[in-house]
Amino acid sequence: MSTQPTSRRIQTVAERMSPFTRYLTESTWAERQHEPGICDFVFGNPHEMPLPGLVDALQRWSIPQNELWYAYKESEPSARAAVVVSLRERRGLPFEPDDIFLTNGAFAALSVALGAVVDPGDEVIFISPPWFFYEALIAAAGASPVRVKIDLETFDLDLGAIAAAITAKTRAIIVNSPNNPTGKIYPPRTLEGLARLLTEASQHYDRPVYLLSDESYSRIIFDDRDYPSPTAYYPNSLLIYTYGKTLLAPGQRLGYIALPPTMPDRELLRAAIFASQVMTGYAFPNALLQYALPDLERLSIDIAHLQHKRDRLVAALRDTGYQVHVPEGTFYLLPRSPWADDWAFTDLLAEYDILCLPGAVVELPGYFRISLTANDAMIDRALPGFAAAMQRAMPTLPADSSSDTLS
Ligand SMILES: Cc1ncc(COP(=O)(O)O)c(C=O)c1O
């Protein structure tokens, strides 16, 4: 008889997410996040009251209009229709309602998408530095995660490294643009190159390599930039979206998978996605959120204000000797840690009541991440502390480290 009390698979999965769980339980953030006066820059969480429009929509749609109001829901027609209108407007493509699958955020969308396309033994490529959970989600789907690093000079995809990682077992690649944590929007040239090599691999091995395009931050874009969606370049793409970022309400779980009209064999995938969704623990959003979706589609946090916070922090950090690039989108700044040990440096920042995420938690030692979702008062309070921590760290800086190589 086995003495193993838990499933081996979940142990492997837990192992894959252990840097995150360790941070959640053993870090200075875990100890101090609720202290009064703390400046919490760790996660993309709200530090201000929710959007009034969000609260109004939830109140309005919570009132039942018929006896089936809170019955089991799949992807509600009104929610699908609103997503189709939005995608047609934003992407200029005739997305179809039957190709929209409402999920509880991008977490579930990724899990459902992987469940629909991968078999045990398949490989799925993810890009490092990654979002915390890609590796665990791939392992949970029974596939092998294959890590490919970005080009650290440019924060762009390293197409040569991706090509080298593709094998006969490669079934999918997860690409996240704009990228958490680098803030990079992959440019058309890169996406064309990626599409070329995925097409060649699919032809060579005679089965499609799917592109799972994590577009969680596709509406958190700075400087009026265009957003080239990876799905526009490669037909075998599954578009993954969450409203958690645009609404800055990640506890209200709402997102979707969309199959672009350019995708071949969509009908087969529709059935697979639906089955995967049911088997992923009925991964549909609550009825209330689906009714509210047409209203929520029109809402967003103030992107100009987010950009203002980015600009203010970048300027102040550079003035005090930090190396930091300017992100093109997302919630995050990614300064270089003046110490190679980024955990130690974030502990030094914590002495000034500033909490930031060590880069090592997202496979990027030597950096730390700042979330721009901190409020203005936190930024006001934190700026002198960032400067003071740099002054204390300065003696250990290499001579050329004040130059900014990643603008
Ligand atoms: C890149 C990326 N993908 C997916 C998610 C998951 O989003 P949600 O929690 O809204 O499902 C996040 C959230 O932080 C993210 O940063």
Side-chain angles (χ1 to χ4, degrees):
M1 200 174 77
S2 163
T3 54
Q4 176 87 19
T6 59
S7 123
R8 276 182 222 288
R9 175 185 272 189
I10 207 65
Q11 279 191 342
T12 311
V13 169
E15 197 93 329
R16 303 260 186 190
M17 55 191 261
S18 61
F20 178 79
T21 35
R22 185 178 155 222
Y23 186 75
L24 221 52
T25 52
E26 293 173 26
S27 62
T28 314
W29 178 83
E31 272 167 45
R32 299 197 46 204
Q33 55 168 312
H34 298 300
E35 279 181 20
I38 208 82
C39 303
D40 185 352
F41 293 94
V42 172
F43 292 117
N45 256 327
H47 293 283
E48 281 162 289
M49 289 301 276
L51 290 172
L54 166 66
V55 179
D56 288 349
L58 295 182
Q59 283 176 340
R60 186 165 53 255
W61 291 103
S62 68
I63 298 164
Q65 296 180 13
N66 56 52
E67 67 277 17
L68 291 176
W69 202 244
Y70 292 130
Y72 279 109
K73 298 292 163 187
E74 292 147 15
S75 291
E76 275 292 280
S78 60
R80 280 183 146 168
V83 171
V84 159
V85 169
S86 164
L87 283 175
R88 286 183 177 178
E89 228 171 75
R90 288 166 196 276
R91 303 291 162 84
L93 281 177
F95 280 84
E96 290 183 25
D98 285 351
D99 292 325
I100 311 298
F101 302 86
L102 276 303
T103 60
N104 354 56
F107 251 106
L110 283 159
S111 178
V112 168
L114 286 164
V117 299
V118 305
D119 278 315
D122 281 345
E123 292 172 358
V124 176
I125 296 174
F126 71 100
I127 308 297
S128 174
W131 174 58
F132 310 108
F133 299 103
Y134 288 141
E135 201 182 337
L137 285 170
I138 295 165
S144 301
V146 176
R147 172 183 291 97
V148 173
K149 291 192 181 303
I150 54 166
D151 175 345
L152 271 182
E153 284 298 309
T154 58
F155 286 172
D156 205 349
L157 295 177
D158 181 342
L159 294 181
I162 293 174
I166 293 178
T167 71
K169 294 183 181 165
T170 306
R171 184 52 155 171
I173 177 170
I174 304 177
V175 171
N176 167 223
S177 177
N179 185 266
N180 171 11
T182 66
K184 177 83 177 175
I185 299 174
Y186 299 128
R189 196 175 8 93
T190 300
L191 299 176
E192 280 159 13
L194 177 68
R196 211 173 307 123
L197 68 92
L198 296 181
T199 305
E200 280 166 15
S202 302
Q203 282 164 359
H204 184 73
Y205 294 113
D206 200 24
R207 66 170 197 164
V209 176
Y210 290 103
L211 170 60
L212 272 48
S213 180
D214 179 347
E215 307 192 3
S216 293
Y217 296 91
S218 57
R219 300 189 203 170
I220 316 283
I221 305 277
F222 300 131
D223 308 310
D224 291 323
R225 284 172 188 279
D226 286 335
Y227 172 62
S229 165
T231 65
Y233 295 81
Y234 183 65
N236 271 314
S237 295
L238 289 83
L239 190 164
I240 310 281
Y241 186 69
T242 173
Y243 290 90
K245 311 299 171 194
T246 338
L247 301 175
L248 196 40
Q252 293 293 344
R253 313 290 308 151
L254 183 63
Y256 59 78
I257 301 171
L259 305 180
T262 44
M263 173 180 261
D265 300 327
R266 265 177 300 148
E267 294 72 19
L268 292 177
L269 264 179
R270 284 176 190 162
I273 291 174
F274 180 77
S276 177
Q277 204 161 4
V278 172
M279 289 306 111
T280 308
Y282 211 74
F284 301 96
N286 287 341
L288 172 54
L289 283 170
Q290 297 210 47
Y291 301 137
L293 191 147
D295 291 349
L296 303 181
E297 252 296 332
R298 291 190 281 272
L299 292 177
S300 170
I301 51 165
D302 184 346
I303 304 295
H305 183 216
L306 200 69
Q307 183 173 320
H308 172 75
K309 290 194 274 186
R310 174 199 70 170
D311 293 342
R312 190 171 170 219
L313 270 161
V314 166
L317 290 171
R318 284 180 171 174
D319 275 355
T320 48
Y322 288 88
Q323 265 184 267
V324 55
H325 75 299
V326 181
E328 297 165 336
T330 73
F331 290 158
Y332 310 108
L333 296 187
L334 198 57
R336 297 295 294 261
S337 164
W339 291 342
D341 184 346
D342 44 277
W343 272 78
F345 184 69
T346 55
D347 281 343
L348 177 64
L349 286 171
E351 290 182 28
Y352 299 91
D353 294 340
I354 300 168
L355 304 179
C356 295
L357 185 80
V361 182
V362 288
E363 303 182 5
L364 203 57
Y367 291 78
F368 65 98
R369 195 188 76 171
I370 293 177
S371 174
L372 299 170
T373 59
N375 61 39
D376 288 311
M378 286 178 177
I379 296 174
D380 292 342
R381 289 200 304 277
L383 289 182
F386 277 117
M390 181 50 110
Q391 279 207 328
R392 272 175 63 192
M394 264 311 213
T396 62
L397 273 180
D400 65 349
S401 66
S402 64
S403 70
D404 177 42
T405 50
L406 291 165
S407 59

